[in-house]
Amino acid sequence: GAVVSQHPSWVICKSGTSVKIECRSLDFQATTMFWYRQFPKQSLMLMATSNEGSKATYEQGVEKDKFLINHASLTLSTLTVTSAHPEDSSFYICSATTSGGRETQYFGPGTRLLVL
Amino acid sequence: DAKTTQPNSMESNEEEPVHLPCNHSTISGTDYIHWYRQLPSQGPEYVIHGLTSNVNNRMASLAIAEDRKSSTLILHRATLRDAAVYYCILRPPYNTDKLIFGTGTRLQVFP
C-alpha cells in the first residue's frame, strides 16, 4: 500500500529557533500534499494544501510566513516552523494523494514538536 | 462544506460488532462519504468510502441510508486494535481533495 513517512518523528527545540519537518511519499508520486496540526484532545486542523511546483494554499488563519511549505518534488514536501514559540507545540501530520477528485489520502505518522 | 454529526464516544467489548453512526443531513448529491480513523499517537488511516450503495472491505462495512442523510460504519468484530477516533467526512467533488475533520467518535474496546 501507499506509504508516507515523516521526519523527524519528534523534536524538541528552544523558543525562537526554526524547525523543518519532512514528508515523503515512499512508493508513489504525490501530486498534492497536505499539512495538518493537532493539539491534544482535539481534531486535526488543516493548515495548507501543497501542489508540486507551486505555492501552497493556506487555510484561513494560518500564517504563511510562519509556516513555510515547500513541495519541490512529487515525493517530498517540507514544513518549516519559523521562530517557533511554545504555542506552536503540537502534533504535525502530513498526507499525500495521487490525484484530484476523490482519491484516498495517505497520512504520515506525525511529528510531535515541543518548543521550550 | 456539509457538516457531519457523530457521537463523542462509544464503547464495545472485544469480538462484538460495532455500529458507528454519522448524520449528514445537508449532504449534497455528489458528496462522497469517507471514513478515516486515528489510532493513538498516529496519523489517520483510510477506512472506507461510498456514495450511495453499501460498501464492504477487509476493514469494515459502510451502510448508507437511502436518503443519504446518515451512514453507519460497521466493524464486524471489534478488537483491541480498533480502539481509535473514527471520523466521518464528506468530500464534495469541487473541493480540491482536502479533508475537513470533525470531532469524530472515540471508540473504546474492552477485553
Side-chain angles (χ1 to χ4, degrees), chain B residues 34-101:
Chain B
H34 284 245
W35 284 81
Y36 283 76
R37 73 178 184 181
Q38 186 178 23
L39 279 63
S41 298
Q42 295 186 31
E45 64 174 341
Y46 167 81
V47 177
I48 201 166
H49 78 280
L51 183 62
T52 56
S53 303
N54 294 343
V55 185
N56 299 297
N57 66 21
R58 63 174 181 82
M59 288 181 70
S61 295
L62 176 60
I64 301 173
E66 198 168 330
D67 63 5
R68 298 204 337 119
K69 293 186 176 182
S70 65
S71 60
T72 303
L73 180 70
I74 303 166
L75 307 179
H76 295 285
R77 291 179 66 191
T79 69
L80 296 178
R81 288 175 295 177
D82 291 323
V85 179
Y86 287 79
Y87 296 98
C88 168
I89 303 169
L90 302 182
R91 294 188 72 186
Y94 58 80
N95 202 327
T96 54
D97 277 334
K98 62 182 182 182
L99 296 173
I100 306 299
F101 285 80

Side-chain angles (χ1 to χ4, degrees), chain B residues 21-36:
Chain B
C22 180
N23 286 319
H24 29 78
S25 57
T26 59
I27 189 172
S28 78
T30 51
D31 286 345
Y32 276 70
I33 303 160
H34 284 245
W35 284 81
Y36 283 76

Side-chain angles (χ1 to χ4, degrees), chain A residues 34 36 38 43-44 46 59 91 93 97 99-105 107-109 112, chain B residues 32 34 36 38 41-44 46 49 87 91 93 96-103:
Chain A
F34 303 86
Y36 296 83
Q38 186 175 35
S43 187
L44 283 80
L46 178 66
E59 294 298 304
F91 192 46
I93 306 168
T97 186
S99 64
R102 289 167 281 279
E103 290 295 321
T104 300
Q105 279 192 27
F107 286 82
R112 199 165 296 281
Chain B
Y32 276 70
H34 284 245
Y36 283 76
Q38 186 178 23
S41 298
Q42 295 186 31
Y46 167 81
H49 78 280
Y87 296 98
R91 294 188 72 186
T96 54
D97 277 334
K98 62 182 182 182
L99 296 173
I100 306 299
F101 285 80
T103 53

Side-chain angles (χ1 to χ4, degrees), chain A residues 61-76:
Chain A
V62 178
E63 301 174 57
K64 59 182 179 182
D65 295 330
K66 170 82 174 169
F67 299 99
L68 301 178
I69 292 172
N70 184 279
H71 191 164
S73 78
L74 286 172
T75 59
L76 173 64

